[in-house]
Structures are given as C-alpha cells and as structure tokens.
C-alpha cells in the first residue's frame, strides 16, 4: 500500500465560474490559473503522484507549457492514472477537502464526488469529499482564493 497527499491553492480573479472536481460551478469569480485551475483535481493529482513516488503535478504538466493553457484538469488525472497503471498501482480510496469560504460545496457535492469517482475508475464510496471554511481567517477567509487537500491510498497488489 502507498499513501500520498496533495495540496493546491488558486486565487480568485475575473470570471463567472470555477471548476471543482471536474464540475463547472457558477460563481461570482473565476480563478487565476494556467490550466482550468481546478484545485480539487490538482490536489488529487499531487496525492496520486506522491503515493507513486512520481514527484508533483508541476513536473509533469508545467504551468508555462502552452499545451496546458486553459486545460481541462480531468486530463491531468487521466494521464496520472496512466502513469500509475504502468507501475501496477490502483486507487484504493481518495479523501478530499475543499477549504473555502465560498462557494458552498453542499449543492455540488454529489456531482463532484461522482465525477471524481468516474475519473479514478472507482465506485463512488471510495471517494470522499469534505468542505471547511477557515472561519473567516486568513486569505481563504477573506475570500481571496480557494484551496484543496487530498489524501489517496494506492494498492500495489502486495500487503505491505
Ligand atoms: Mg493548481
């Protein structure tokens, strides 16, 4: 078994929606990012890469590469899963936390969870999605941006 963790932040900027876990969420702001700025999927990619000992998302999908401008981050997850498959690593479960004052996660939780489970090719019960505010504290509390954490467990087929 291998465990990995990931963390990501994006600042709010002009726009009318944000992408969270592959789902388009209408919002008063967008996020500033080279790709689509999906913090949940970026944290998830880092957790998957971390568990596999494959570095981080920035090494594989550079934020200066024009190929990834405005990129759908679902493609990053799929590409990372391909890397894991070569190492015979499979996702056991993923636990994600959105850290944001806004937008509210609750109305979108089921859709995001289903989308992430589909991306990871696991049943929905193996993906958990939590949300917290920072009680108004710090840059997240001032609604300057949005953050996410992810923890994943991978199986390498051996009990260790
Ligand atoms: Mg990011």
């Amino acid at each position: 078994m291998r465990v990995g963790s990931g963390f990501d932040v994006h600042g709010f900027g002009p726009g009318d929606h944000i992408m969270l876990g592959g789902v388009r969420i209408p919002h008063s702001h967008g996020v500033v990012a080279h790709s689509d700025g999906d913090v949940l999927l970026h944290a998830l990619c880092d957790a998957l890469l971390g568990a596999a000992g494959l570095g981080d998302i920035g090494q594989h999908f550079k934020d200066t590469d024009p190929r990834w401008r405005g990129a759908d981050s679902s493609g990053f997850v799929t590409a990372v899963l391909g890397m894991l498959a070569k190492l015979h690593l499979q996702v056991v479960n993923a636990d994600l936390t959105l850290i944001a004052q806004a937008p509210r996660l609750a109305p979108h939780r089921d859709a995001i969870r289903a989308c992430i489970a589909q991306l990871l090719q696991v049943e929905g019960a193996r993906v958990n999605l939590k949300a917290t505010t920072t009680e108004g504290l710090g840059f997240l509390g001032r609604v300057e941006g949005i953050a996410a954490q992810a923890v994943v467990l991978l199986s390498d087929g051996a009990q260790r």
Side-chain angles (χ1 to χ4, degrees), residues 9-87:
V9 175
H10 283 278
F12 284 129
D16 62 2
H17 72 279
I18 60 174
M19 295 301 294
L20 284 179
V23 176
R24 183 186 173 103
I25 311 287
H27 191 51
S28 56
H29 294 82
V31 295
V32 179
H34 185 67
S35 68
D36 66 1
D38 191 321
V39 286
L40 281 173
L41 295 189
H42 293 181
L44 177 62
C45 282
D46 264 352
L48 293 166
L49 290 167
L54 292 174
D56 66 35
I57 189 172
Q59 290 175 253
H60 296 277
F61 310 101
K62 291 195 191 319
D63 65 6
T64 52
D65 189 329
R67 280 182 296 171
W68 313 128
R69 184 181 302 278
D72 177 351
S73 296
S74 299
F76 298 158
V77 177
T78 301
V80 169
L81 283 183
M83 297 175 205
L84 300 192
K86 284 183 186 159
L87 297 172

Side-chain angles (χ1 to χ4, degrees), residues 83-121:
M83 297 175 205
L84 300 192
K86 284 183 186 159
L87 297 172
H88 307 290
L89 293 169
Q90 293 184 321
V91 175
V92 175
N93 74 301
D95 186 19
L96 297 97
T97 305
L98 183 74
I99 310 163
Q101 212 69 35
R104 302 290 296 176
L105 179 68
H108 311 288
R109 186 192 303 262
D110 291 347
I112 293 171
R113 188 176 181 183
C115 187
I116 291 175
Q118 188 173 28
L119 276 175
L120 293 178
Q121 299 167 14

